[in-house]
Amino acid sequence: MQILKSTSLMDVTGDDAYSFIDSLVSNSIKENEIKCSYLLGPDGKVKFWFIFQLKNNELKIFQTEEILIELKKLLEKYKIRINCELNISKDEQYFEFSAKEQLLTVESSSNSSKFLDWAQIELFYELPSLKIIEKGLLPNEIKWLDSFVDFYKGCFMGQEQASRVNFRGKARRILKTLPDSTQEIVKTK
């Protein structure tokens, strides 16, 4: 178990907020849940990963401020005739990550004594950094596929390609954190 300190969030508000985000992201979410998810490109490759939360019908997305700015730019392109606002703000939150077998779970935490930042969490749990994402990475090339993608939720951006590679075979490569605290995409055997 590791604690993440997050200092930025994106509030997604408005009548269409939930349906807009749900139609784009790879994981489903219900009221009072916190989950990790991807935003995939139309080609099925990972564009962003983040934590999102639905509480009291308020949708919040957590990641670094730098990534939230880029995510907001992309979401704004898809927000045609959609009644929702995307606002980035500072807000200190703590999240507890737990890994059990092939599942990565995240919960809200009040523990703020010993924590990691986003880059450290990426290395610890072999989650893709922005540098690795830019190289083109499919969801099944990251070991937490079942934690980030709900293949039964219905349509989302990149869903057909992600489903095809998931159900038709195993990944030819996988993201690994190396002993020197760098990430690399390595071929599988």
Side-chain angles (χ1 to χ4, degrees):
M1 174 196 70
Q2 297 294 327
I3 304 294
L4 166 71
K5 178 182 179 182
S6 180
T7 58
S8 299
L9 68 87
M10 181 188 313
D11 281 307
V12 185
T13 58
D15 293 340
D16 300 331
Y18 175 80
S19 61
F20 172 61
I21 296 299
D22 186 59
S23 71
L24 295 174
V25 302
S26 64
N27 214 343
S28 59
I29 192 166
K30 296 176 187 151
E31 184 67 31
N32 296 317
E33 278 189 325
I34 301 172
K35 287 188 176 179
C36 294
S37 187
Y38 296 126
L39 178 66
L40 304 177
D43 59 359
K45 292 183 180 175
V46 175
K47 294 287 185 196
F48 299 98
W49 81 270
F50 49 84
I51 296 170
F52 70 142
Q53 175 183 33
L54 183 62
K55 187 174 182 181
N56 301 323
N57 284 330
E58 294 178 12
L59 187 61
K60 298 179 183 303
I61 298 175
F62 301 90
Q63 228 323 334
T64 64
E65 184 176 18
E66 170 192 12
I67 290 177
L68 288 175
I69 290 168
E70 294 303 313
L71 177 59
K72 181 180 177 184
K73 287 179 191 174
L74 185 61
L75 292 174
E76 291 286 354
K77 291 179 183 178
Y78 292 109
K79 200 179 77 147
I80 300 168
R81 287 181 252 140
I82 300 289
N83 181 11
C84 87
E85 295 297 321
L86 308 169
N87 297 302
I88 298 172
S89 61
K90 296 283 188 190
D91 187 38
E92 195 170 284
Q93 297 279 329
Y94 295 89
F95 297 99
E96 178 181 306
F97 279 76
S98 298
K100 295 176 186 166
E101 297 176 17
Q102 292 297 314
L103 291 177
L104 183 65
T105 59
V106 61
E107 296 176 9
S108 185
S109 177
S110 58
N111 183 354
S112 61
S113 59
K114 186 177 178 188
F115 56 83
L116 302 177
D117 65 19
W118 286 94
Q120 293 167 317
I121 285 287
E122 289 171 345
L123 291 174
F124 191 87
Y125 289 108
E126 296 181 313
L127 296 167
S129 66
L130 194 54
K131 183 178 176 184
I132 288 292
I133 287 172
E134 290 171 351
K135 293 181 179 182
L137 195 62
L138 295 167
N140 71 333
E141 296 173 333
I142 303 161
K143 72 181 189 179
W144 307 111
L145 181 66
D146 292 335
S147 301
F148 280 76
V149 180
D150 180 354
F151 290 104
Y152 302 100
K153 77 170 249 192
C155 293
F156 56 89
M157 188 161 45
Q159 178 259 336
E160 289 180 19
Q161 293 78 359
S163 292
R164 190 176 309 121
V165 297
N166 180 56
F167 293 115
R168 287 195 177 170
K170 64 182 203 176
R172 293 180 290 181
R173 55 189 199 153
I174 191 130
L175 175 65
K176 290 286 184 188
T177 297
L178 304 177
D180 64 354
S181 294
T182 60
Q183 290 184 327
E184 189 173 310
I185 303 168
V186 298
K187 290 186 178 186
T188 59
K189 296 177 183 181

